[in-house]
Amino acid sequence: MRWGRRKLPLRTIVAILLASMTAFSIPHTANSASSTSALDAIGTSIGCNSEPGTTSPFPNCVSDSITTSNAGDAIIVLADCGFGGCPNVTIASVFDQNHLNFTQRISDSPLWEYYALAPSTLTSDNVTVEFYRTPYCCFMEMIVLAISGVNPDAVFDPSPSMPATVTCNGSCSTSGTTSTSDFVIASVSIGDGPSCTTQPGFTIVYTPYYGQGSPDGETDWDLYYQQVSSPQNLTFNCDSWAATAMFLDAVNIGGPVHGANGPLAAFTYDSCEEQGCLVPGFPASFNASFSQSLNGPIVLYVWNFGDPSSSNNQFNSTNPSAAHDYLTYQNGSTAWKVTLAVKDSIGQSDTTVQMVSPQVYPKFTTQPSSPSAGEPVTFDASSSTFNSSTNTTPTYSWSFGDGTNSSGAVVNHTYSAEGLYRVMLTFSGSNGSGQVSKTVLVSSDPPANSGSGGGGGGGGCRCLRL
């Protein structure tokens, strides 16, 4: 948009040209994620169509495609509306192909922020922002970030100064104070890269509408990010007559030890098909005895088995084991998204969402099962299998619950602090992915003799058939 900013008399021409634009997003260049930060992936712009059933006479959309490497990522959606604050633009919906639950974080036209937690990795997931606008007003652009190692109990920094937003009239500044280890993002609407500064410095992500910026770095929309490992005072400044709004926000990738103040839900599953039985549908048994709480025992298990065609879609029980018959058989590469919510004896709760696949049977053990802080723990998923008729190369993805991840059939991990952690294994192949999770209670005591953790669950369980 350099040619639209050179002289004020050109604004009328720019408005007319913008009115003739289609609602499709012109692709911006994909950016590779830094291996030393919590940035897992950045989306790439793709064309899109409006969501069916829209009632607005002026539906429009922008869309990004994103592929992630880690389960449990926070998916951050940032949307920008150009020129003069766009008073006639509103966000109608944010949706994707994996049916993530997007929540609005910032609504400060011309900047918006939404977020969702992805329980599993994403492959070419198309995330779409649908918006309404009156004719001859503005254009929209978006970018999607995947941030790994996020604390699911508190996705954003609890500091009252976050998020910080401000409307610009050319030059503007905003500031905030982080209180944990954070992945900080800052954005300015219609700003110039070299004219925006931070202390300490951020890394810029170019989100150009007309290309990879100009020789002097000017772009239509600027995004910055930085990872901080301790509380810091941060200031974000821009000095450009084109800037119309800015914000500063922080995603919590540290904070209190996960599960320290409440329960953690976890479960494994077994399939009748693993033993080669020939029955209609997909019988599966679930074992949630791996859920724990530091407050006391788990007293309630609430299941949603992810199949709306079933007459027993949700089940409440005080028994950690349950069995369910999936009445509609899915393609092997299509996983059911099973939700387990648990409540402990003092009324605190936690939820996990995991993929359950008809032909994928993930399992793992831990050694030792009750480690101490600083003691290496071995996680072994080599007993995981696929349907016997399947010939595929498996992949193993681990999330250790402390913000770190790994891959491989057998991995070692050391927890630096005591606490309760949820370990998630994602076992994948060409015929789909499945997930199982267990909790690991890490103590501060010296290592003691301990046996290995359980396998995939289900063996000898007192299952309730649903």
Side-chain angles (χ1 to χ4, degrees):
M1 292 303 297
R2 289 170 52 87
W3 48 267
R5 297 180 190 169
R6 291 300 183 187
K7 299 178 181 180
L8 292 179
L10 290 179
R11 286 186 172 182
T12 302
I13 298 174
V14 171
I16 294 173
L17 290 174
L18 287 172
S20 65
M21 287 182 177
T22 67
F24 294 105
S25 171
I26 298 175
H28 54 247
T29 303
N31 295 271
S32 59
S34 170
S35 60
T36 60
S37 76
L39 183 61
D40 187 10
I42 300 176
T44 302
S45 289
I46 57 175
C48 67
N49 294 311
S50 297
E51 178 75 350
T54 300
T55 58
S56 168
F58 308 109
N60 300 273
C61 65
V62 286
S63 187
D64 266 23
S65 177
I66 192 166
T67 297
T68 63
S69 302
N70 302 300
D73 281 358
I75 308 301
I76 307 296
V77 178
L78 303 174
D80 165 88
C81 177
F83 291 94
C86 303
N88 298 317
V89 173
T90 57
I91 301 292
S93 62
V94 178
F95 55 91
D96 77 320
Q97 295 171 312
N98 284 270
H99 306 291
L100 299 180
N101 183 24
F102 286 97
T103 300
Q104 187 177 83
R105 168 75 168 169
I106 293 174
S107 177
D108 187 24
S109 178
L111 289 169
W112 293 265
E113 180 184 15
Y114 288 77
Y115 72 96
L117 287 174
S120 60
T121 56
L122 304 178
T123 301
S124 299
D125 185 30
N126 295 343
V127 183
T128 299
V129 174
E130 183 187 42
F131 59 97
Y132 299 154
R133 69 180 183 187
T134 55
Y136 311 112
C137 174
C138 325
F139 63 89
M140 289 289 294
E141 191 174 31
M142 68 174 289
I143 192 167
V144 178
L145 306 176
I147 302 172
S148 61
V150 173
N151 184 347
D153 293 334
V155 176
F156 291 92
D157 191 308
S159 170
S161 67
M162 297 288 185
T165 63
V166 64
T167 300
C168 302
N169 184 16
S171 301
C172 55
S173 176
T174 189
S175 61
T177 302
T178 66
S179 61
T180 67
S181 175
D182 289 323
F183 186 89
V184 182
I185 50 179
S187 182
V188 58
S189 174
I190 313 301
D192 299 335
S195 64
C196 296
T197 59
T198 62
Q199 197 54 244
F202 282 47
T203 298
I204 187 170
V205 176
Y206 291 102
T207 57
Y209 198 81
Y210 286 105
Q212 185 64 42
S214 63
D216 65 2
E218 184 176 303
T219 65
D220 290 293
W221 180 29
D222 299 332
L223 173 70
Y224 303 76
Y225 73 89
Q226 172 184 173
Q227 184 173 335
V228 296
S229 59
S230 60
Q232 292 190 32
N233 297 319
L234 298 172
T235 301
F236 185 50
N237 303 294
C238 282
D239 183 13
S240 169
W241 72 267
T244 55
M246 65 163 52
F247 80 90
L248 187 69
D249 204 1
V251 179
N252 182 4
I253 57 174
V257 174
H258 183 64
N261 300 315
L264 283 182
F267 71 87
T268 61
Y269 73 90
D270 279 331
S271 168
C272 178
E273 293 191 2
E274 188 175 5
Q275 286 75 43
C277 61
L278 299 176
V279 293
F282 172 34
S285 58
F286 298 91
N287 185 356
S289 62
F290 301 103
S291 303
Q292 291 191 65
S293 176
L294 299 182
N295 301 320
I298 303 296
V299 298
L300 181 64
Y301 303 84
V302 181
W303 297 92
N304 186 305
F305 297 107
D307 58 336
S309 63
S310 172
S311 59
N312 296 303
N313 191 44
Q314 183 165 304
F315 178 70
N316 299 2
S317 176
T318 58
N319 191 324
S321 298
H324 182 69
D325 290 329
Y326 287 94
L327 303 181
T328 303
Y329 188 89
Q330 294 206 128
N331 181 287
S333 62
T334 304
W336 299 109
K337 291 186 178 181
V338 177
T339 301
L340 169 66
V342 299
K343 182 178 291 186
D344 64 21
S345 56
I346 68 169
Q348 294 196 19
S349 60
D350 182 56
T351 301
T352 183
V353 181
Q354 297 171 202
M355 295 184 295
V356 173
S357 296
Q359 300 181 44
V360 182
Y361 319 123
K363 294 177 173 62
F364 71 90
T365 61
T366 63
Q367 176 64 36
S369 59
S370 301
S372 301
E375 179 182 12
V377 184
T378 299
F379 297 94
D380 187 345
S382 57
S383 60
S384 301
T385 59
F386 295 107
N387 183 288
S388 57
S389 63
T390 301
N391 183 14
T392 184
T393 301
T395 61
Y396 308 80
S397 299
W398 298 88
S399 173
F400 298 116
D402 61 351
T404 61
N405 305 278
S406 187
S407 61
V410 181
V411 297
N412 294 315
H413 182 67
T414 301
Y415 291 96
S416 60
E418 62 180 309
L420 185 62
Y421 301 85
R422 175 168 49 216
V423 180
M424 181 85 73
L425 165 67
T426 302
F427 180 56
S428 304
S430 61
N431 58 335
S433 298
Q435 292 177 310
V436 292
S437 64
K438 300 178 184 180
T439 55
V440 176
L441 181 60
V442 179
S443 69
S444 59
D445 299 328
N449 293 328
S450 59
S452 63
C461 73
R462 296 176 291 113
C463 296
L464 300 180
R465 178 66 64 182
L466 306 181

